[in-house]
Amino acid sequence: MSDDIVNIEVDGEPVEAKKGQMIIQVTDDIGAYIPRFCYHQKLSIAANCRMCLVEVEKAPKPLPACATPVMEGMKVFTRSPAAIAAQRATMEFLLINHPLDCPICDQGGECELQDQARGFGRDISRFNERKRVVKDKDIGSLVSTDMTRCIHCTRCVRFGEEVTGLQQLGTTERGENMKIGTYVEASIDHELSGNIIDLCPVGALNNQPYRYSARAWEMIQIPTVSPHDCVGSNMYAHVLRGTVKRIVPKPNEAINETWISDRDRFSYEGIYSGDRLLEPRLKSGDTWETVSWEDALNRLAKELVAAESTGILASPGSTIEEFYLLAKLADHLGTADIDHRVRQRDFSDQSNDALMPYLGCSIEDVEKAAAILIAGSNLRKEAPIIAHRVRKAALAGAKVSMVNVEPCDVFFDVHEDIHGLGLVRQLAGIAVAAAGSSSLPATVADICTGVDPTAAQKSIAATLADADEAVVITGLIAARHRASSAVRALAAAIGELTGASFGTLSESSNTAGGHIAGALPHRKAAGEARDNAGMHAADIVDGSPDVTLLFGLEPDDLTCSEDAEAKLAAHKFVAALTPYASESLLESANLLLPTGTFAETSGTFVNCEGRWQSFAGIANPVGEARPGWKILRVIGNLLDADGFEYTSTEEVLAELQDRVGEPEPDNAYQGSASIAKPNGADEPGSEVDVPIYEIDAVVRRATALQLTPDALRARDGAT
């Protein structure tokens, strides 16, 4: 028998448990439920609610199951008269000051206190004194407070301390007078803070945009996938009569554990923005006219047939099915001018792209690394769940180093934080240090000529080389850099020289899918090279095709080129498949077709670890909006294109998968030719950092998110 295993009894049944486990962890594993409030599997043990009291043989009094480790021969009784009596007494104590407001509480119907009170509460309260009242706290636009309901479980406090690393909530005073708050009036503005809503067991902390809009039992729960970053967090949408009322996490230990970012949680407000495009519109002179779907599609087909050149720009948040249909449409039109890399500005090394952008390891493996280098990334804002994994690695002892032009806040100890110079020069120093007396890869030899590494750069190289498991990750600032080819080549070289895995974060939810499906000017599906490469995103914007097709994009998204809105306005004919009639599109487009948001279509996203995740539509279309893939199918039919006879996204996906097989994620850098020195392209200001709540059209219209300090700071900076 292993020394790590102990034998115990739970309610008379023999059980094997791991040494050091708490009783509640063992009972959860075997399905023997013990009531609890303060205990949560992802947080430290507080043992302050006492609801989990159980009887243990030979113990003089009931013991808290969450804080009592198992021992050999222990006999535990979870439903004995003594255990039940202790749990009932605890429940009576917790209900002494609790308000009787279940009929108006948003937590009603899914409240842990309500459930436990039914099982362990008394019919009549013996408390006759005046109940205490606690003043509510204003903690921002995302979370509402009803602090009189608080039972001091401290889940929210521990979440800040242990998961986010930012202690925004804490306790003051003691005993009955204890209060949870922000000490001084302040908002809760960490990008994961909304998770305290799910953690709160009593309705003291609620979803403010959702407040008073529906009851739990009225809604249906539908699984979906985050459309905003490359993680692909799993979520549930709670839907009332076809309308999304809120988003909550769907646990998936391999991806997002039990958390989601605030951006994923609250962006649904943008679905119902006041500027939703409700029907097709056609510009006649300077006037917009409402037209039928038939007329709009026929006009677009006519323009496409007559066009000698067509440019197609797609959102990196499009589904892989939409990407594939766009690529097929481009093939039928005889154009290779198609791209979804709408925020990239350096395309000089695109021929050396991997099949798809890849993290270099699984999301779970990030937190197991012993050394991590993050380069060109405002990690917390770009991918909050990846930032959480990196923080867990740092807390476990990993040496995490950051290389950026501007310093970025992280809530863990950083081994080396280098900033102030261009990314290329910084990474060149690390590469030279990593090479030591060895030769540098040919790709970066010219870039590194004359570079003398600093002590900090040598330290980073040494930590990566000495670690058993090391990871080099470049972020979105690196991907949008004017010399991103050099940045990527150097990061790949550092990985090769130190034995670290090399990975990248990518734009939005499905950049990987865009690569696989062939929505690129130089490659077809499955990475097959085109005979003649077409124009990339910047060239399409800067040029003037006869027809420009925008799919799920607004001019704000086109940071690949300066003054994109003005340039688009000069294009001959711009057709936008878009959910929104934004001012910029009304100015630059000629035809608007109402397209469903991520909530109004089915499809598949491929995340940064290469995981394919399909989802169904979760909401009824707004107005006359239609799923993007259906619109593309009809356009293909009108153009008499082969292979557009689809009736579902499943059919599109099956065809694509038959074509590409099961591609293995591989981020190995393909380049062999020397990358030229970027010169002025590496100066500070050569990078683009898109604020967290401006990343796409839906997020930009989420009212509660736009009232957060992050959003307000971004707007102030813009002005």
Side-chain angles (χ1 to χ4, degrees):
M1 184 183 298
S2 172
D3 293 336
D4 294 330
I5 300 297
V6 296
N7 292 287
I8 67 172
E9 284 187 13
V10 177
D11 296 329
E13 297 293 327
V15 177
E16 288 188 348
K18 295 178 182 177
K19 186 179 292 185
Q21 278 190 302
M22 302 299 158
I23 292 174
I24 200 168
Q25 294 170 329
V26 177
T27 56
D28 282 353
D29 288 343
I30 65 173
Y33 180 72
I34 296 176
R36 81 288 305 269
F37 292 116
C38 68
Y39 174 77
H40 190 276
Q41 68 271 22
K42 293 293 183 180
L43 303 176
S44 64
I45 292 169
N48 43 11
C49 78
R50 320 307 280 186
M51 193 65 207
C52 65
L53 291 172
V54 295
E55 183 184 2
V56 177
E57 187 181 59
K58 298 181 182 179
K61 59 182 180 180
L63 300 177
C66 68
T68 304
V70 295
M71 295 184 294
E72 180 67 32
M74 176 183 280
K75 295 183 179 181
V76 180
F77 304 94
T78 68
R79 305 297 295 168
S80 67
I84 296 294
Q87 293 162 1
R88 287 184 177 276
T90 300
M91 176 55 63
E92 185 177 14
F93 176 77
L94 291 173
L95 291 175
I96 281 177
N97 281 306
H98 199 79
L100 300 177
D101 61 349
C102 296
I104 64 165
C105 179
D106 278 324
Q107 200 85 345
E110 52 187 4
C111 173
E112 295 177 48
L113 183 70
Q114 193 178 53
D115 295 341
Q116 303 300 348
R118 181 171 178 84
F120 302 94
R122 295 176 59 92
D123 293 335
I124 299 174
S125 174
R126 293 182 289 179
F127 184 77
N128 296 316
E129 289 76 9
R130 187 174 181 179
K131 294 191 176 187
R132 89 175 161 189
V133 176
V134 181
K135 183 180 178 182
D136 294 336
K137 299 286 186 180
D138 181 3
I139 58 174
S141 61
L142 305 180
V143 182
S144 66
T145 63
D146 293 273
M147 301 312 296
T148 300
R149 299 171 183 163
C150 179
I151 61 169
H152 306 154
C153 72
T154 69
R155 283 185 181 180
C156 56
V157 176
R158 286 175 284 145
F159 174 81
E161 294 174 345
E162 299 164 14
V163 178
T164 71
L166 181 61
Q167 188 179 358
Q168 294 177 300
L169 291 173
T171 60
T172 56
E173 303 187 49
R174 301 179 66 184
E176 187 185 50
N177 296 320
M178 187 172 101
K179 297 179 179 65
I180 290 177
T182 55
Y183 299 114
V184 296
E185 290 296 329
S187 63
I188 303 297
D189 59 349
H190 189 280
E191 54 281 353
L192 295 176
S193 290
N195 290 287
I196 61 177
I197 298 167
D198 308 315
L199 287 173
C200 182
V202 296
L205 303 170
N206 279 297
N207 184 320
Q208 187 155 304
Y210 160 78
R211 191 172 173 90
Y212 302 138
S213 64
R215 304 311 300 262
W217 56 84
E218 297 177 304
M219 301 183 290
I220 58 173
Q221 179 171 276
I222 307 173
T224 187
V225 179
S226 163
H228 305 303
D229 61 37
C230 61
V231 174
S233 294
N234 289 195
M235 314 183 301
Y236 285 119
H238 290 171
V239 181
L240 176 63
R241 292 186 288 276
T243 300
V244 180
K245 289 297 182 179
R246 64 178 176 185
I247 299 288
V248 299
K250 179 185 178 186
N252 187 328
E253 287 295 322
I255 301 177
N256 54 295
E257 298 182 328
T258 58
W259 320 119
I260 56 173
S261 70
D262 291 354
R263 180 169 59 191
D264 294 336
R265 184 184 297 273
F266 297 104
S267 65
Y268 72 90
E269 284 191 293
I271 300 170
Y272 306 107
S273 170
D275 64 347
R276 280 298 300 264
L277 180 63
L278 302 180
E279 59 273 315
R281 294 190 192 179
L282 178 67
K283 184 184 285 186
S284 178
D286 294 329
T287 304
W288 282 96
E289 300 176 352
T290 298
V291 296
S292 67
W293 266 108
E294 183 180 4
D295 289 344
L297 290 170
N298 283 330
R299 174 63 185 274
L300 177 56
K302 179 182 177 182
E303 294 288 344
L304 289 171
V305 169
E308 294 185 4
S309 59
T310 300
I312 300 174
L313 294 170
S315 164
S318 306
T319 67
I320 199 169
E321 294 87 350
E322 291 164 343
F323 280 134
Y324 183 56
L325 292 178
L326 282 167
K328 288 185 68 173
L329 190 63
D331 289 343
H332 175 77
L333 294 170
T335 182
D337 302 339
I338 176 173
D339 210 344
H340 67 282
R341 301 166 297 171
V342 294
R343 288 202 163 101
Q344 187 170 319
R345 296 187 294 172
D346 178 11
F347 302 88
S348 60
D349 195 34
Q350 65 180 15
S351 61
N352 294 319
D353 288 348
L355 172 61
M356 66 179 200
Y358 172 53
L359 188 60
C361 60
S362 70
I363 293 172
E364 278 188 296
D365 285 345
V366 170
E367 66 185 69
K368 300 174 184 176
I372 302 174
L373 170 60
I374 308 294
S377 175
N378 189 352
L379 189 61
R380 283 178 47 214
K381 310 302 181 182
E382 293 173 3
I385 296 297
I386 299 293
H388 165 62
R389 297 279 191 175
V390 171
R391 182 172 185 274
K392 289 177 72 176
L395 294 178
K399 294 181 177 179
V400 182
S401 300
M402 309 285 293
V403 176
N404 277 304
V405 176
E406 298 290 337
C408 298
D409 288 336
V410 291
F411 300 113
F412 54 82
D413 292 334
V414 177
H415 173 64
E416 296 286 353
D417 187 1
I418 306 176
H419 55 268
L421 297 173
L423 280 178
V424 176
R425 281 174 286 177
Q426 295 169 357
L427 293 175
I430 299 172
V432 171
S437 58
S438 304
S439 301
L440 285 159
T443 50
V444 299
D446 288 349
I447 304 175
C448 297
T449 302
V451 172
D452 186 17
T454 64
Q457 291 165 343
K458 291 177 180 178
S459 177
I460 293 174
T463 59
L464 292 171
D466 294 342
D468 292 334
E469 297 288 337
V471 181
V472 177
I473 299 174
T474 59
L476 299 186
I477 293 175
R480 302 166 187 152
H481 195 279
R482 289 194 182 280
S484 60
S485 295
V487 173
R488 180 177 65 160
L490 285 164
I494 293 168
E496 179 184 341
L497 292 165
T498 61
S501 66
F502 164 59
T504 62
L505 300 177
S506 51
E507 293 282 357
S508 195
S509 58
N510 204 27
T511 294
H515 279 69
I516 294 170
L520 293 167
H522 61 296
R523 290 185 181 170
K524 299 180 181 180
E528 179 187 350
R530 295 186 184 274
D531 295 333
N532 296 295
M535 292 193 296
H536 54 67
D539 283 346
I540 293 173
V541 175
D542 293 344
S544 187
D546 291 336
V547 175
T548 304
L549 190 64
L550 301 180
F551 189 89
L553 292 170
E554 297 178 311
D556 290 345
D557 299 310
L558 302 174
T559 56
C560 57
S561 181
E562 302 289 338
D563 299 321
E565 183 178 349
K567 291 174 180 177
L568 282 175
H571 285 204
K572 297 176 183 177
F573 188 88
V574 177
L577 281 70
T578 173
Y580 305 102
S582 66
E583 289 296 326
S584 58
L585 280 176
L586 291 172
E587 183 67 29
S588 56
N590 303 91
L591 177 66
L592 301 179
L593 301 177
T595 309
T597 63
F598 74 94
E600 298 152 330
T601 187
S602 57
T604 304
F605 293 147
V606 183
N607 75 352
C608 59
E609 63 177 11
R611 188 186 297 261
W612 296 50
Q613 300 188 104
S614 296
F615 55 91
I618 58 177
N620 294 335
V622 174
E624 295 184 20
R626 298 291 182 268
W629 74 270
K630 286 188 177 182
I631 301 173
L632 295 173
R633 181 201 64 191
V634 175
I635 294 171
N637 295 154
L638 291 173
L639 296 175
D640 293 325
D642 293 332
F644 275 78
E645 310 304 324
Y646 306 105
T647 59
S648 67
T649 52
E650 288 81 6
E651 291 181 7
V652 182
L653 182 64
E655 181 179 308
L656 173 63
Q657 288 178 324
D658 285 342
R659 184 169 174 180
V660 305
E662 297 183 3
E664 285 291 327
D666 184 4
N667 216 42
Y669 182 62
Q670 306 297 318
S672 57
S674 179
I675 303 291
K677 286 190 175 183
N679 299 321
D682 190 41
E683 296 300 320
S686 300
E687 66 287 334
V688 173
D689 184 10
V690 179
I692 183 172
Y693 300 135
E694 294 185 15
I695 194 68
D696 58 48
V698 175
V699 171
R700 289 194 289 269
R701 290 166 171 84
T703 304
L705 292 177
Q706 297 307 318
L707 295 174
T708 61
D710 265 323
L712 295 174
R713 283 193 294 268
R715 288 200 292 275
D716 289 343
T719 58

